[in-house]
Amino acid sequence: MTPTTTTTTTRTAVADPVTVTEVREGIALVELTRGKVNALDGHAYRRIAETFDELSTDQSYRAVILTGRGKVFCAGNDLNEFRTMDGGNGDAAMRDARRAFFAVLECRLPVIVAVNGPALGSGMGLTASADLVVASDRATFGLPEMQVGVLGGGRFAARMLPEQAMRRMFFTAEAVDAATFQSWGAPIEIVPHDELMGRALERAELIASRSRYALTLAKQSLNGCEGMEIRRGYELEQSFTVRLSEHPDSTAAVEQRLAAMNRK
């Protein structure tokens, strides 16, 4: 399936490390566009955070796809920034990166990552921050931090992998292909490379067919209960159910479902 762009208005300048287009009604495509390998510097991290914060409040969207332009999804942090990082500027640099990851994680809309090639270091962090992951059969995943004298990335990778699988990736700094990553427990969908964007769009279109209000409540609910024990987490989910039940979209969904059942 080849995506057809319904609106091609780019919201950002050509030189911007992040571009946004509307590829279907209600679906935003966010592309990393920094150099050949989409290595991220401070400016790129800040633009990612700004972009996802803006999408959270844009009422015209109901789902977001994140991918990388070119052959690489994201090769990680720009190593030139590590060369100049020290105790004086390091905290600010880490804050920029952290804000980018959490802007994806806390985006009010569901985020689908389409991994088109290597997702290394910060690329793994962005992938692990998403709600759904579709990966090309050419994709690879890795945590190369130990090779370049830094730390970080393990906690995000642990959202996708069992602890020891994550540690194996971290301590060896060896990248693995998508099939291996999946076999270790990563909940990714692998498709032939030429089908990647088509499959990501299929998933996004299904999600975007839902009520935006319901989607935003669901995202808040799932994020809120993720780290909770089962009783407190389910109680939180139930409180969001009550909130949703008061909205007209909830009533409409129930009526539509009942009508469909009665037609069978």
Side-chain angles (χ1 to χ4, degrees):
M1 176 179 174
T2 301
T4 57
T5 302
T6 56
T7 303
T8 57
T9 301
T10 301
R11 296 184 168 195
T12 48
V14 174
D16 204 305
V18 179
T19 63
V20 182
T21 54
E22 184 177 42
V23 288
R24 292 284 193 280
E25 183 180 357
I27 301 173
L29 173 65
V30 178
E31 294 179 279
L32 304 177
T33 54
R34 187 174 187 269
K36 292 183 178 180
V37 298
N38 294 318
L40 305 179
D41 62 358
H43 175 59
Y45 285 124
R46 290 189 292 274
R47 285 294 298 123
I48 292 170
E50 292 165 0
T51 297
F52 279 90
D53 286 348
E54 290 168 3
L55 289 170
S56 286
T57 58
D58 191 328
Q59 297 298 311
S60 61
Y61 292 116
R62 296 184 298 281
V64 182
I65 298 172
L66 171 63
T67 194
R69 187 173 295 179
K71 297 181 179 180
V72 177
F73 172 68
C74 174
N77 206 95
D78 187 330
L79 296 184
N80 288 312
E81 295 221 328
F82 286 150
R83 295 175 71 183
T84 59
M85 189 171 69
D86 56 28
N89 59 26
D91 286 344
M94 295 298 99
R95 186 165 55 250
D96 286 337
R98 187 166 63 245
R99 184 184 167 209
F101 300 146
F102 280 99
V104 176
L105 180 66
E106 296 172 355
C107 180
R108 298 187 69 189
L109 304 175
V111 178
I112 301 163
V113 167
V115 186
N116 55 301
L120 309 176
S122 296
M124 270 279 290
L126 291 171
T127 301
S129 301
D131 298 287
L132 285 76
V133 179
V134 181
S136 159
D137 55 7
R138 300 179 189 175
T140 57
F141 299 86
L143 296 172
E145 281 81 354
M146 293 289 285
Q147 284 184 326
V148 294
V150 297
L151 300 175
R155 183 61 189 88
F156 275 102
R159 291 191 81 222
M160 304 186 74
L161 292 172
E163 182 73 17
Q164 287 186 321
M166 177 275 289
R167 290 182 182 227
R168 175 174 173 171
M169 292 188 74
F170 198 90
F171 285 121
T172 65
E174 295 174 345
V176 298
D177 60 29
T180 300
F181 195 54
Q182 185 184 62
S183 73
W184 287 355
I188 64 174
E189 180 179 7
I190 304 172
V191 298
H193 184 75
D194 292 343
E195 299 176 15
L196 176 65
M197 290 309 301
R199 186 63 56 85
L201 275 166
E202 287 178 7
R203 299 290 178 245
E205 286 176 331
L206 177 60
I207 291 169
S209 69
R210 317 296 188 199
S211 154
R212 189 184 194 281
Y213 182 74
L215 289 170
T216 60
L217 282 190
K219 183 72 179 275
Q220 292 176 64
S221 172
L222 292 172
N223 280 356
C225 69
E226 181 174 349
M228 293 182 175
E229 51 87 18
I230 187 168
R231 175 176 289 276
R232 291 185 62 232
Y234 187 51
E235 287 174 351
L236 178 63
E237 282 191 286
Q238 288 181 313
S239 71
F240 277 90
T241 297
V242 173
R243 287 176 59 184
L244 180 57
S245 69
E246 297 175 341
H247 196 277
D249 287 352
S250 176
T251 303
V254 172
E255 295 301 328
Q256 289 172 9
R257 182 59 179 166
L258 287 172
M261 293 173 63
N262 289 333
R263 286 194 296 268
K264 292 181 179 179

